[in-house]
Amino acid sequence: MVHLGPKKPPARKGSMADIPKDLMEQIHGLEVIFSVSPEKLRSVVKHFISELNKGLSKKGGNIPMIPGWVMEYPTGTEKGDYLAIDLGGTNLRVVLIKLGGDRTFDSTQSKYKLPDSMRTTRNHEELWAFIADCLEAFIVEQFPDGVKGKLPLGFTFSYPCSQSKINEGYLQRWTKGFDIPNVEGRDVVPMLQKHLEEKKLPIEVVALINDTTGTLVASLYTDSETKMGVIFGTGVNGAYYDVCSGIEKLEGKLPADITPDSPMAINCEYGSFDNEHMVLPRTKYDVMVDEQSPRPGQQAFEKMSSGYYLGELLRLALVDLHEQGFIFKDQDLTKLKTPYIMDTSYPSKIEDDPFENLEDTYELFSKDLGIQTTSPERKLIRRLCELIGTRSARLSVCGIAAICQKRGYETAHIAADGSVFNKYPGFKERAAEALKDIYGWKDLKPQDYPIKIVPSEDGSGAGAAIIAALTEKRLAAGKSVGVLESK
């Protein structure tokens, strides 16, 4: 009998017997403000649908609803070698995808650390030269005998861009710590292509994509029931296929070979849902997060549900309870009063604490924050984390239900990625439960729910490569990959 490490300890029973009345009242108050009823979820979904539609209209709305210029569904029969690169905040990932043509693919990848100064270099040529150097090293390693013909490349560039065709992308603004002059407002594709040609590399950048759109396409390649790609991580986002006739803002801009019934991948960027605060059940802590953020009034949905803010919501609530005299009496809260000192790993670790007396939570507060906690205080902290984590999962699925209802999908696989989806305790179960509440499914086990959230394929690698394959096929057939060229 081989034991591979200890079994996961059993879940806490979580008795509340030793909690004094005043703390119990605070816990009940938190339960009231952080709980989201099925009725509330349904009203959020209803408003979400109208905001999605507004985003597709000529007038536009809070949700950008960006056409991704992927106008084919992958069939799973695509074959060949394709490259993908993903320029993240700290690394460049280079991926070779060999599409098997039978809904399978093989992937080989290398990761190259960006030099520290690269994100703020004064000379943008350095960035493109670095990417070209990495691609050269990768190709020499993967193709020792050289390459036949040109390798199509899909470039995952997850920074705000405007695109009127798939093989261009005008950077709107740098994010993720990048601040390189003379790139904003310009098309990044020729900047990279120039350096590839200078090195005589047999590579052509055929598609610039967003990672959420990549998640949709990569997952649809391997699973024909995929209807959406979603990210639950530091940010929140979703992508799906609409039809061109449903995208009012493209009216009169499409070439004749992009017909009204052509599919079009849409990158929603729906973190900005409900910026007008019409329907989301905000607490005073949500208002504080927004008011103290660099961009108040923006990304309302993201601020209530994404990983970046869960620890900060916990911190604000604890500081408030201390200031009202309920917890941490006579303790030094200097550290806890530092904005964003608690990232999402805090509520995650606290929810994972298996001990009845929450010993792991005791050590976390003692070591990291210099706060000695009592058993009743730790039980309040644990319950608060459960409430914040559950609300995040419940609100997160409103985007899924809205797209499914807008498109008339009664069954679907929703391909999900991101740190919160993959790592936050209980997120998957809570998200499934929220979909059940929205739809009112009765007497079904979670595995039988008509709409299921499933782990996605690699969007920024495989997704970019598969989109490159679809685009290459269109270009070879002489088909359009963007708006009408202005004469």
Side-chain angles (χ1 to χ4, degrees), residues 105-377:
F105 60 82
D106 181 56
S107 98
T108 312
Q109 58 179 331
S110 286
K111 210 180 217 182
Y112 303 91
K113 190 169 180 2
L114 288 171
D116 289 339
S117 58
M118 186 66 76
R119 290 201 298 271
T120 51
T121 174
R122 299 290 85 196
N123 177 9
H124 69 85
E125 302 289 355
E126 285 182 17
L127 174 66
W128 313 117
F130 169 77
I131 295 174
D133 287 343
C134 296
L135 277 163
E136 182 176 43
F138 185 79
I139 279 191
V140 167
E141 195 182 330
Q142 295 303 320
F143 295 93
D145 304 329
V147 177
K148 292 186 189 74
K150 277 211 162 183
L151 281 168
L153 178 138
F155 186 179
T156 298
F157 190 72
S158 298
Y159 303 85
C161 270
S162 49
Q163 263 187 306
S164 52
K165 55 183 184 194
I166 197 156
N167 46 5
E168 70 168 32
Y170 287 82
L171 177 68
Q172 291 171 344
R173 64 176 185 280
W174 282 117
T175 56
K176 300 181 195 177
F178 276 90
D179 188 15
I180 304 174
N182 304 316
V183 185
E184 291 180 350
R186 294 176 66 188
D187 182 359
V188 299
V189 173
M191 292 183 182
L192 173 59
Q193 192 67 49
K194 181 185 101 170
H195 282 269
L196 299 177
E197 282 161 15
E198 280 172 9
K199 285 186 160 294
K200 299 195 166 40
L201 292 174
I203 297 171
E204 186 173 3
V205 185
V206 297
L208 188 86
I209 74 143
N210 167 279
D211 56 349
T212 315
T213 309
T215 299
L216 165 71
V217 175
S219 303
L220 183 53
Y221 180 84
T222 60
D223 172 11
S224 62
E225 291 184 61
T226 305
K227 293 290 189 276
M228 270 185 90
V230 292
I231 307 288
F232 303 123
T234 311
V236 293
N237 196 15
Y240 73 104
Y241 278 98
D242 215 309
V243 284
C244 288
S245 58
I247 308 168
E248 188 193 76
K249 62 186 174 186
L250 291 181
E251 253 174 42
K253 294 183 180 175
L254 296 177
D257 63 347
I258 301 178
T259 55
D261 59 352
S262 288
M264 172 74 80
I266 300 285
N267 163 29
C268 300
E269 295 292 353
Y270 58 41
S272 54
F273 164 63
D274 200 32
N275 280 351
E276 280 126 353
H277 310 311
M278 307 270 289
V279 69
L280 287 172
R282 297 205 307 162
T283 66
K284 62 180 173 182
Y285 309 118
D286 297 298
V287 174
M288 288 159 81
V289 162
D290 184 42
E291 286 175 351
Q292 293 163 20
S293 71
R295 296 186 175 175
Q298 293 186 23
Q299 300 301 97
F301 186 58
E302 189 161 280
K303 283 170 181 163
M304 290 180 72
S305 61
S306 88
Y308 188 74
Y309 300 98
L310 301 183
E312 180 65 359
L313 286 166
L314 170 63
R315 185 192 74 81
L316 288 167
L318 293 177
V319 169
D320 182 40
L321 289 166
H322 166 76
E323 285 172 351
Q324 291 182 56
F326 292 110
I327 55 172
F328 309 150
K329 292 179 178 121
D330 307 321
Q331 300 265 351
D332 175 10
L333 257 66
T334 311
K335 279 192 175 166
L336 190 65
K337 287 186 175 170
T338 312
Y340 291 92
I341 194 164
M342 298 173 105
D343 61 17
T344 304
S345 72
Y346 279 79
S348 178
K349 282 175 186 163
I350 294 164
E351 284 217 53
D352 244 350
D353 188 340
F355 301 110
E356 291 302 323
N357 63 349
L358 296 165
E359 181 61 21
D360 289 354
T361 305
Y362 174 83
E363 283 185 15
L364 191 65
F365 273 75
S366 175
K367 273 191 193 148
D368 289 16
L369 303 165
I371 295 170
Q372 306 307 309
T373 53
T374 64
S375 171
E377 284 171 348

